Amino acid sequence: MNTLINGLCLGGIYALIALGYTMVYGIAKMLNFAHGDIIMVGAYTIFSTLALMGHPIPAVIVAVVVCTVLGLLTERVAYRPLRGASPLAVLITAIGVSYLLQSIAQLIYGSKSQSVSMGNLGSVTLFNNVSVSISSILTLGLCLIIMVALTLFVKKTKVGCAMLAVSEDRAAAQLMGINVNGIITLTFAIGSALAAFASTFYLMQIPSVTPTLGSMPGIKAFTAAVIGGIGSIPGAMIGGILLGVIEKFALSVPVLAPYTTAIEFGLLIVILLFRPTGLLGKKRREKV
Amino acid sequence: MALLEVENLAVSYGLIQAIKGISFEVNEGEIVALIGANGAGKTTTMHALCNLIPKQAGKVTFDGKDVTGVAAHKLVPMGIAQVPEGRRIFQELTVAENLRLGSYTRKNKKEIEESLEKMYERFPILKERSKQIAGTLSGGEQQMLAMSRALMSHPKLLLLDEPSMGLSPLYVNTIFDMIKQVNSEETTVLLVEQNAKKALAIADRAYVLEIGKIAKSGKGAELLEDDSIRRAYLGG
Ligand SMILES: Nc1ncnc2c1ncn2[C@@H]1O[C@H](COP(=O)(O)OP(=O)(O)OP(=O)(O)O)[C@@H](O)[C@H]1O
Ligand SMILES: [Mg+2]
């Protein structure tokens, strides 16, 4: 029972990160490999603001603002000049941005891990004497709220509809009067803000931060996005949660624990073998 | 002054010049046809007009304003709508969502609803299918949707790139009737067509494009009688 809850929490975190990958891929048609490092920046921002103010809530707000601005900035400075360039050039740039962010963090904070205490919220005892930490409940609840809100935003608002249009056919979207650059910018902003929330929940689970903190959850979330079908928003949610639950269950079985990562990536391979576009991915329709 | 004036437009794909300096104009209230064989450069012209692809040279004036370098999305609120070749409806969105995207740049909610009602009135099938995913519509229905979607922006000038492509004769007639009707409601039309016969029949004036150059122009009815045109585009 506890493993399930922990798995769902981790899955929620993966899902938030995976949403950033999948939305940027779907709309800007690029793999933003620096996305994981936005989480790291978010974590350091929380670390610093916490040291200054001592309360986690303003720290989270500052992190959301910093990450969003950083997302906008990288899009503007690094990726927008490459719009229309070969995907490989964009990918290499993204990897460059990733190293850049890691190096800057190392310069400022050093390479040693710093501990961040988000404060102990204690735990509650549910039925059957299962005790669950409040931070887990918070993580789960907030992840759920964020995902529902995002789904509603995309499905029910005009701008959300424009995002879907841009993701399907950029030229046709322009002919509707949609400012494609504006929509791409917005997508980066949303993805980065979600990353800031992911760093918050990450720190609630693992209270320490290093310059490479973003790499592993970044890669796992990317895997989750591909499992769910990259470009698909519900796919990222399902893929993230699936991966988180599998990870926690594998870790809880002593024989499997050392192979957890191998199991996760193995799952990716198996799913791609049977469904090359991921669980909810669509086949690319050829344009006339 | 004409509603749309194109002067010496040239477009290149790399080293290949697809449009070699063409000039034409569309007056307010007209239907103007642009006809030509496959690869003549009709779609290239339409894309360049809306700045979906860069122009190599030339000047475009719309409604008295120089719009040569105006970004595609900004032309829509100025009054230019295009139904691109191959319809390009948003396959994964519903019929209603497609239509509403057509009015993306309009602000007045009441007028948008009125336009929507008008589209549904013209093609009741669209109302019936409003919640259906657009990709599941038949080709003819998709073309009706694409044209209605473009009209949702309430354009002064409607650019149509081969609206009859791949349609059965019955649907071709529906679409051409619609073009005439829309034109009579004060929308100016620039029509690109393979179906030269039908296009010339409804056009006030027409231009014939041959490998990137305008080879002929004149009244629609006159070109319909022109021997060289009959031989090249009307099958004898
Ligand atoms: N993206 C592109 N890159 C290179 N060449 C292109 C591109 N698009 C079109 N062309 C070339 O430009 C020329 C004009 O093409 P265009 O699509 O404008 O013709 P068209 O008159 O619309 O033909 P059709 O009736 O078949 O639609 C053709 O020779 C075509 O091969
Ligand atoms: Mg064409």
Side-chain angles (χ1 to χ4, degrees), chain A residues 155 158-159 161-162 164-169 171-180 183 282 285 287-288, chain B residues 50-52 72-73 76-77 82 84 86 88-93 97-98 101-106 149 165:
Chain A
K155 285 244 150 81
K158 187 168 137 175
V159 177
C161 205
L164 295 176
V166 171
S167 112
E168 199 184 319
D169 188 334
Q174 279 173 285
L175 291 178
M176 300 299 105
I178 296 168
N179 178 352
V180 170
I183 294 289
K282 299 152 232 163
R285 249 182 294 255
K287 301 244 156 66
V288 213
Chain B
C50 287
N51 283 318
L52 287 177
H73 68 271
V76 181
Q82 180 172 163
R88 306 279 281 266
I89 57 160
F90 300 109
Q91 309 255 341
E92 284 151 27
L93 302 181
E97 284 166 338
N98 268 277
L101 279 170
S103 60
Y104 187 77
T105 57
R106 292 171 69 185
R149 182 183 67 173
M165 184 164 73

Side-chain angles (χ1 to χ4, degrees), chain B residues 42-44 85 161-162 192:
Chain B
K42 305 178 298 293
T43 299
T44 303
E85 186 174 57
D161 194 344
E162 301 209 32
V192 158

